[in-house]
Amino acid sequence: MGRFLAFLILGLVLVAELPPTGGWGVISGAGVAALGTFFASSWRKGWLVVLAGLVVGLTTAWWNGEQYQGHLPEKLSGEEVITGVVADREDRARSVKLILAGVTASMAEVGAVSQGERLDSVDDLEGGSTTLWRAEGLVQVTVYRQDVFALPGDRVRFSARLFPPSGHRVPGSFDYGAWLKERGIVATGYARGDVEILESTEDWRWNRLRQHIFQWITHHLPPESQGMVAAILVGKRGGLSHEVRENLVVAGVFHLVAISGLHLGLVAFWGYGLIRLALALVIPLSARWDVKRLAAGLAIFPMLAYAFLAGWPVSTQRAAVMAGAFLLSIALSRNPHPWRALGVAAMIVLVWRPGQLFEAGFLLSFLAVGVLLWLWWPGRSPIGNEKAPTGLAVREESGVWGQLRGLVITTVVLGVVLSPISAHFFHRLTPYGFVGNLVAVPWVSLVAVPLGLGSLVVAPFSDTLGAWLLLGTGWSLDLVRLGSDWLAALPGAWQRLPGPPLDGIAWGVVGGLGVVALPGRMAKGFSLLVMVAALFWPRVAPSYGVFHLAALEVGQAQSVAVRGPEGAWSIVDAGGAVTPRFNIGEGVISSYLWHHGVTELKHLVVSHPQADHMAGARRVLRNFAVESLWLGQFPVKEREKASYRALMAMAEARGVAIRRFAVREAFQEGELIWRILPPWSPGEGRNHNDRSVVVEAAFGAHRFLFPGDIEKAGEEWLLGQGVLQPVTLLMAPHHGSNSSSSPEFIAATQPEGVIFSVGRRNRYGFPKQPVVDRWRESGAQLWRTDRHGTVIVESDGEAWWVKPVE
């Protein structure tokens, strides 16, 4: 089993498209692990197993890459009428997210069906209409600012705008588009009108039950308790506020509100124990049958019921496979081999969803279980036939203090082993996670989950008793929430770092396998050395002596990362979307910097106080040590704009030097020269765009210009000052609007290249075609972040080159 799984993984790695954070280190690590399992034992007889694993891995990876057929036609770029059945819904503070199945998009007129009214028939649904598209998967639509009465199983119709699944094409950032596709979502969008309920069907009844339970929870619990209770009982986390999420993450216990291995393991454990007790009470049955094996087989059913109650997301699917494999190993064998069960579970998950190999949940789940087996379950090695040591022998501890010592050891070892993976994916170090998990995990396991599941079992027979148990669940989780708030407020709780790259993670896993499986102290010591050394695998960074510019894809906004030839990084503007669940400064700008191993910034430049140029600036300030914050002269905004004041207050609190530029200035930092072009004085500017801080970076024979959002009047001001000169490349002023990029400005700058920072299908229609035509006629090469993704420009001082991330 070990050899088959190892070569299955090698096959996946060889064919699958590796994330930008992994490369030859991942391939070589997988190869070494596969060869190690091959030579571990009986290698002369293992050719067929090895060949089968490699073929299955190669085929699975290729097949998965060919399967996505969710192409959304370009003609669906406006407002269409979509019809489909609600598969699931997530209620949030200001919106409802609907997951629809069987979706068709057409140009039919929406009927005058009032909200909440049900039609008796859908015979005329497509009468006289033109169907433009039929979805081959699920469609995710967000509904804002209205009550939505539709439940899972209801067929609905409404106007919406649909878009292909997409994420920010920025190296190091989370690929939201790939995440959606992995979950079968072929389009996303938002509703433009009321959601009309056409009829109720028998589809998605289980999710309908989940929604009714969610409504029961919200009816009986206060708002501050609803989010966590709904998360652990029915897998709905939409009620968790941004503050609660942040504090749970900082305290290292967010995994407790994501139904996964811990929760399904608890249900399997409690189900197994109760069923075994019930069977043991039936004396004739216990005398004839192995009650232990029968109970393990029967315990699969309550575990699966809870998995469906959680909505059957990918994390729950993975956990259900793992728990089911362990229960089946007990049910089918008198001497179960947990390592084999873990290998079977991994094999099933990877064949079913090969993309999981590079996701945090897969690595964290399987490594955590592997560590637990090493610590608590003596037996054969997961590789070969050698007798596996019991690790730290925590299973042999006895008595209350011994068990407590074993719990502490387990928590510490788990934290140490899993922290590099968490650092890689989440760029976070949770220094108080040990304390949080040591207290919260037993509390949730022994109190919160049993109370919550007990309330669901009792409620159909006695709503009063069920409500009391539900209140107890809320009270127990309130303590976890308050404890997380306390830990998150402690000094040093917020620690951000790049973390090791995926190459280092791969070799760290190889070293860990050697520690667990290889015999002899020398081999184990060498494996431990490899595991530790892999954590210091260097991040990929631009070459020394090369100027690096990255116009990040941040939607209809602008943010540019600049690295000088000596290695100092700066950010020019930090705009983009900021919502309760996503911050552009965290998810894109910081992620790109962490991808290159950055921990500190030389300058953070905010050209002017508008959200599309500064929304993510505060998160960048929080995540990195910044030397100076460059601003323009905006006295009115400093008095009236709360977010602008908050940015400056955070900078002052963190000891960042604040520079407000009112005149032309220049700074030389090694071979890089920064120039601030003379800004328009506050009393003369027509608008804030024209008073943008205009920055130029010069290296060798090349100049790179960042004009912010200046419009024609601002361009005329700079022309009148005589400071504009030919440049190598510039960011198009004001995202390519008609109010900027005047012929005079183009003639004065004469750029060889122009980058438009614009969002896909943005509502302004930027860049405007006349502007594009003017730049193209000037002879400049053009790039757009909506089409080319992040545009990377580099120069050695003599030549320059462009590498779009498409």
Side-chain angles (χ1 to χ4, degrees):
M1 178 59 65
R3 284 173 294 182
F4 182 89
L5 178 59
F7 278 87
L8 167 67
I9 293 175
L10 178 60
L12 293 177
V13 169
L14 290 175
V15 175
E17 181 179 355
L18 291 175
T21 51
W24 287 107
V26 175
I27 296 175
S28 61
V32 168
L35 291 175
T37 60
F38 178 67
F39 289 107
S41 63
S42 303
W43 60 273
R44 290 188 177 87
K45 301 179 181 179
W47 286 101
L48 290 178
V49 174
V50 166
L51 183 61
L54 188 60
V55 169
V56 170
L58 293 170
T59 305
T60 300
W62 172 82
W63 178 259
N64 183 74
E66 296 292 322
Q67 283 304 295
Y68 179 68
Q69 301 294 332
H71 175 66
L72 192 69
E74 284 295 326
K75 58 186 174 183
L76 293 183
S77 58
E79 183 175 327
E80 283 75 36
V81 175
I82 66 172
T83 305
V85 177
V86 178
D88 200 2
R89 60 177 281 169
E90 180 180 286
D91 294 75
R92 297 175 174 178
R94 298 181 180 87
S95 65
V96 175
K97 184 173 68 176
L98 298 178
I99 307 297
L100 305 174
V103 170
T104 61
S106 68
M107 296 298 294
E109 293 292 333
V110 178
V113 181
S114 62
Q115 178 65 273
E117 181 182 349
R118 298 176 185 273
L119 298 184
D120 295 329
S121 173
V122 292
D123 293 339
D124 61 344
L125 180 61
E126 296 183 10
S129 67
T130 302
T131 300
L132 301 176
W133 179 64
R134 295 180 183 273
E136 298 181 8
L138 301 175
V139 174
Q140 175 181 293
V141 179
T142 303
V143 186
Y144 297 98
R145 299 183 300 275
Q146 63 168 291
D147 293 329
V148 180
F149 300 99
L151 300 176
D154 288 344
R155 186 180 298 276
V156 297
R157 180 175 61 179
F158 53 91
S159 297
R161 290 198 67 183
L162 297 181
F163 307 94
S166 60
H168 296 276
R169 289 164 293 180
V170 178
S173 69
F174 174 65
D175 191 340
Y176 184 59
W179 185 86
L180 289 172
K181 294 174 185 178
E182 174 75 11
R183 284 144 184 83
I185 294 175
V186 299
T188 63
Y190 58 91
R192 299 295 296 269
D194 291 343
V195 177
E196 303 174 3
I197 302 174
L198 302 175
E199 66 173 353
S200 292
T201 72
E202 294 300 313
D203 299 332
W204 306 100
R205 285 178 291 179
W206 196 264
N207 281 343
R208 196 180 188 93
L209 172 62
R210 294 176 59 234
Q211 186 63 29
H212 284 309
I213 295 174
F214 172 77
Q215 293 171 344
W216 178 68
I217 291 171
T218 58
H219 176 71
H220 285 288
L221 292 180
E224 61 272 13
S225 301
Q226 295 171 5
M228 293 187 67
V229 174
I232 72 163
L233 291 186
V234 290
K236 292 181 177 289
R237 291 181 284 175
L240 292 173
S241 68
H242 174 70
E243 181 181 2
V244 170
R245 286 172 176 265
E246 282 287 307
N247 290 343
L248 289 172
V249 168
V250 174
V253 296
F254 186 78
H255 63 94
L256 296 177
V257 296
I259 297 179
S260 55
L262 173 65
H263 305 80
L264 263 68
L266 288 172
V267 173
F269 172 78
W270 288 107
Y272 169 75
L274 293 175
I275 293 173
R276 184 177 179 183
L277 176 61
L279 292 176
L281 294 176
V282 182
I283 299 177
L285 184 61
S286 61
R288 294 187 177 188
W289 297 84
D290 186 343
V291 174
K292 174 183 175 182
R293 297 170 63 186
L294 182 58
L298 294 176
I300 294 175
F301 295 99
M303 182 270 296
L304 288 177
Y306 185 46
F308 278 102
L309 193 64
W312 200 243
V314 172
S315 60
T316 305
Q317 295 171 20
R318 182 174 57 242
V321 170
M322 294 173 66
F326 278 100
L327 290 173
L328 281 175
S329 70
I330 297 174
L332 300 177
S333 175
R334 292 183 178 274
N335 298 303
H337 191 338
W339 287 108
R340 183 177 293 119
L342 184 64
V344 169
M347 180 185 68
I348 293 173
V349 170
L350 292 177
V351 171
W352 185 14
R353 292 184 177 274
Q356 289 284 295
L357 181 61
F358 303 117
E359 289 199 7
F362 176 86
L363 294 173
L364 291 172
S365 298
F366 279 89
L367 283 178
V369 174
V371 170
L372 292 175
L373 292 179
W374 179 59
L375 292 175
W376 290 86
W377 195 290
R380 288 184 298 169
S381 165
I383 302 175
N385 297 318
E386 294 293 334
K387 183 75 174 179
T390 56
L392 299 176
V394 296
R395 192 185 187 208
E396 299 177 0
E397 300 287 352
S398 60
V400 175
W401 289 109
Q403 293 297 315
L404 180 60
R405 178 177 177 270
L407 178 63
V408 172
I409 291 174
T410 301
T411 305
V412 171
V413 174
L414 277 174
V416 170
V417 172
L418 301 183
S419 59
I421 299 175
S422 297
H424 166 77
F425 286 100
F426 310 117
H427 308 291
R428 189 183 305 274
L429 179 65
T430 54
Y432 305 117
F434 162 72
V435 177
N437 282 282
L438 188 61
V439 177
V441 170
W443 179 257
V444 171
S445 303
L446 301 177
V447 179
V449 171
L451 281 175
L453 295 179
S455 70
L456 298 183
V457 173
V458 170
F461 307 99
S462 173
D463 186 71
T464 301
L465 180 56
W468 277 106
L469 291 175
L470 185 68
L471 287 172
T473 308
W475 169 78
S476 65
L477 291 176
D478 284 344
L479 293 180
V480 176
R481 174 173 54 83
L482 293 173
S484 299
D485 295 344
W486 178 74
L487 286 175
L490 293 177
W494 186 270
Q495 298 288 337
R496 309 311 303 270
L497 71 168
L502 198 59
D503 297 314
I505 295 296
W507 274 95
V509 171
V510 171
L513 288 174
V515 172
V516 174
L518 294 180
R521 293 184 177 180
M522 289 288 292
K524 290 182 179 297
F526 178 75
S527 298
L528 181 62
L529 181 63
V530 170
M531 183 174 67
V532 173
L535 302 182
F536 298 93
W537 196 291
R539 286 273 181 174
V540 177
S543 301
Y544 185 84
V546 171
F547 174 85
H548 175 93
L549 178 157
L552 306 179
E553 185 192 8
V554 290
Q556 186 51 43
Q558 184 166 300
S559 183
V560 182
V562 176
R563 178 188 182 271
E566 285 82 21
W569 286 83
S570 298
I571 293 292
V572 180
D573 283 330
V578 173
T579 70
R581 288 170 176 78
F582 178 78
N583 187 297
I584 198 74
E586 175 85 12
V588 175
I589 303 172
S590 294
S591 293
Y592 182 77
L593 295 172
W594 285 320
H595 171 66
H596 291 295
V598 179
T599 58
E600 57 185 29
L601 295 175
K602 189 72 174 179
H603 310 297
L604 172 59
V605 183
V606 175
S607 63
H608 62 295
Q610 290 183 344
D612 62 331
H613 288 255
M614 62 163 285
R618 274 190 288 168
R619 194 56 65 93
V620 172
L621 272 181
R622 182 166 66 171
N623 291 338
F624 300 92
V626 179
E627 183 176 311
S628 63
L629 172 65
W630 290 2
L631 306 172
Q633 295 285 328
F634 299 96
V636 176
K637 286 295 184 181
E638 289 193 23
R639 293 194 304 269
E640 298 178 354
K641 192 176 181 67
S643 59
Y644 201 45
R645 294 199 309 272
L647 172 65
M648 291 182 289
M650 175 177 284
E652 292 175 354
R654 296 180 65 86
V656 178
I658 300 177
R659 296 290 306 272
R660 296 175 178 83
F661 293 99
V663 297
R664 180 180 182 181
E665 296 191 43
F667 309 91
Q668 181 156 0
E669 297 170 354
E671 296 183 69
L672 180 66
I673 300 174
W674 290 99
R675 295 189 180 96
I676 309 297
L677 303 192
W680 207 340
S681 62
E684 299 177 13
R686 183 184 65 181
N687 56 41
H688 299 301
N689 288 340
D690 282 325
R691 296 206 300 273
S692 297
V693 176
V694 179
V695 180
E696 181 186 270
F699 172 58
H702 300 287
R703 292 183 174 87
F704 305 89
L705 185 65
F706 311 97
D709 273 357
I710 62 170
E711 301 179 29
K712 185 176 181 180
E715 294 171 356
E716 291 176 351
W717 164 262
L718 293 176
L719 287 166
Q721 298 298 306
V723 295
L724 292 179
Q725 54 188 320
V727 299
T728 303
L729 180 138
L730 60 75
M731 301 296 298
H734 201 196
H735 315 282
S737 73
N738 278 329
S739 62
S740 62
S741 300
S742 62
E744 296 79 11
F745 181 80
I746 294 175
T749 54
Q750 301 177 28
E752 299 177 49
V754 177
I755 300 175
F756 295 94
S757 184
V758 290
R760 279 170 279 189
R761 293 173 173 165
N762 67 85
R763 61 192 180 100
Y764 305 104
F766 292 163
K768 296 296 186 179
Q769 192 59 44
V771 174
V772 174
D773 293 340
R774 287 201 295 269
W775 284 114
R776 183 175 290 118
E777 290 169 2
S778 73
Q781 300 181 66
L782 307 183
W783 292 273
R784 299 169 48 154
T785 58
D786 61 337
R787 296 180 180 176
H788 301 101
T790 295
V791 180
I792 297 175
V793 180
E794 292 185 332
S795 172
D796 59 6
E798 296 180 0
W800 68 283
W801 53 93
V802 180
K803 298 183 293 185
V805 181
E806 300 187 68

